[in-house]
């Protein structure tokens, strides 16, 4: 039985002139990229950990080092922390692990495109495969962190309850938001390397106004800053589900996720439109 041959016609017209056609092509390319994205993810994960003596433990070591730093600062009195609902060790450990998942997802799109520069200029394939591959890798790294995190929580005397069933939704939210922001900055980040260098600095500041290592202030301008920060309900709700606490910001959590899905759809369109220009710049 003969299969119908797919013919692609390239024109200089912008895809925005035919929005419905563009949307159909976006989802068709997304479906076509499944196998390639999986192969790329497996290749990159194997290559990433093959040359490291400690292997997948590196996914755990950086958040652990941050946790030990903050525990030292708190216990020595250099930084005075307010009382937290959880033991501070558990509070900062879970916070830094969740933040690491967010950062990994956020860095993934720019890292994937930079690593595939040679392939992009020579081969025609669904560009979505690179983004999906990055999501697979972020989920793989997150799974390692979560397994080790659960083991550490049991050692520290924290026993998750039924809310652990909801915890994967929190992790998916972190990956969703991280990927959306990563795609948003991707076009500018490909043109100017300053973005890649400035992003860790900006995220470091943002971490300090998110309840990652500091508890929520009760009053003052800092309390307002924490409350309007859209990452606050994501970190708090995910941590509450992990440690069996009732989520205080569940409505805010749902609202942020709905906005993130809409943002992801918008930046996906921007990604499609900007990639031919970026590839041309990379090839010149």
């Amino acid at each position: 039985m003969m299969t119908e041959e797919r013919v692609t016609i390239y024109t200089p017209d912008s895809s925005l002139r035919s929005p419905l056609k563009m949307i159909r092509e976006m989802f068709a390319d997304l479906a076509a990229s499944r196998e390639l994205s999986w192969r790329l993810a497996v290749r990159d994960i194997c290559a990433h950990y093959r040359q490291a003596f400690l292997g997948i433990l590196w996914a755990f070591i950086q958040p652990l080092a941050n946790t030990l730093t903050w525990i030292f600062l708190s216990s020595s009195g250099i930084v005075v922390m307010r009382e937290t609902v959880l033991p501070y060790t558990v509070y900062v450990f879970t916070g830094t692990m969740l933040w690491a998942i967010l950062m990994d997802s956020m860095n993934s799109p720019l890292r994937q495109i930079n690593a595939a520069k040679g392939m992009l200029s020579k081969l025609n394939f669904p560009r979505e495969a690179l983004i999906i591959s990055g999501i697979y890798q972020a989920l793989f790294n997150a799974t390692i962190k979560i397994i080790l995190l659960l083991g550490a929580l049991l050692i520290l005397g924290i026993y998750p309850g039924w809310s652990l069933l909801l915890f994967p939704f929190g992790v998916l939210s972190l990956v969703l938001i991280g990927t959306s922001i990563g795609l948003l900055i991707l076009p500018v980040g490909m043109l100017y390397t300053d973005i890649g260098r400035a992003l860790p600095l900006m995220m470091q500041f943002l971490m300090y106004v998110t309840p990652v290592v500091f508890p929520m202030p009760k009053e003052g301008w800092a309390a307002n800053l924490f409350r309007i920060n859209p990452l606050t309900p994501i970190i708090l709700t995910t941590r509450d589900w992990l440690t069996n606490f009732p989520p205080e910001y569940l409505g805010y959590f749902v609202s942020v996720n709905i906005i993130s899905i809409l943002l992801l759809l918008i930046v996906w369109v921007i990604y499609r439109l900007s990639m031919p220009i970026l590839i041309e710049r990379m090839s010149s």
Side-chain angles (χ1 to χ4, degrees), residues 90-222:
V90 176
Y91 186 88
V92 70
F93 189 42
T94 53
T96 52
M97 291 293 273
L98 297 177
W99 190 259
I101 294 172
L102 174 73
M103 287 297 298
D104 194 24
S105 305
M106 191 179 300
N107 291 325
S108 180
L110 192 57
R111 185 175 60 232
Q112 288 295 114
I113 300 300
N114 274 322
K117 278 183 178 178
M119 191 166 67
L120 283 167
S121 58
K122 296 174 183 172
L123 300 175
N124 185 19
F125 63 93
R127 309 313 186 197
E128 282 76 6
L130 297 173
I131 305 303
I132 302 300
S133 172
I135 293 174
Y136 284 152
Q137 293 176 55
L139 289 173
F140 176 82
N141 292 331
T143 302
I144 296 170
K145 290 182 176 71
I146 291 166
I147 292 173
L148 298 172
L149 178 60
L150 287 172
L153 287 181
L154 294 176
I155 294 173
L156 293 170
I158 302 296
Y159 301 100
W162 67 267
S163 62
L164 186 63
L165 297 174
L166 298 172
F167 177 66
F169 291 104
V171 175
L172 289 176
S173 297
L174 291 167
V175 175
L176 167 68
I177 294 170
T179 304
S180 301
I181 298 174
L183 270 178
L184 180 65
I185 63 174
L186 175 65
V188 182
M190 290 300 297
L191 295 176
Y192 304 102
T193 58
D194 309 72
I195 299 299
R197 294 173 182 173
L199 184 62
L201 300 176
M202 292 187 292
M203 293 308 297
Q204 188 77 14
F205 171 76
L206 191 58
M207 188 184 79
Y208 293 143
V209 294
T210 308
V212 175
V213 295
F214 297 116
M216 285 275 292
K218 295 292 184 184
E219 56 187 14
W221 64 270

Side-chain angles (χ1 to χ4, degrees), residues 46-59 61:
C46 292
H48 183 69
Y49 291 111
R50 186 182 298 134
Q51 295 180 333
F53 177 74
L54 296 177
I56 60 175
L57 289 178
W58 279 110
I61 289 175

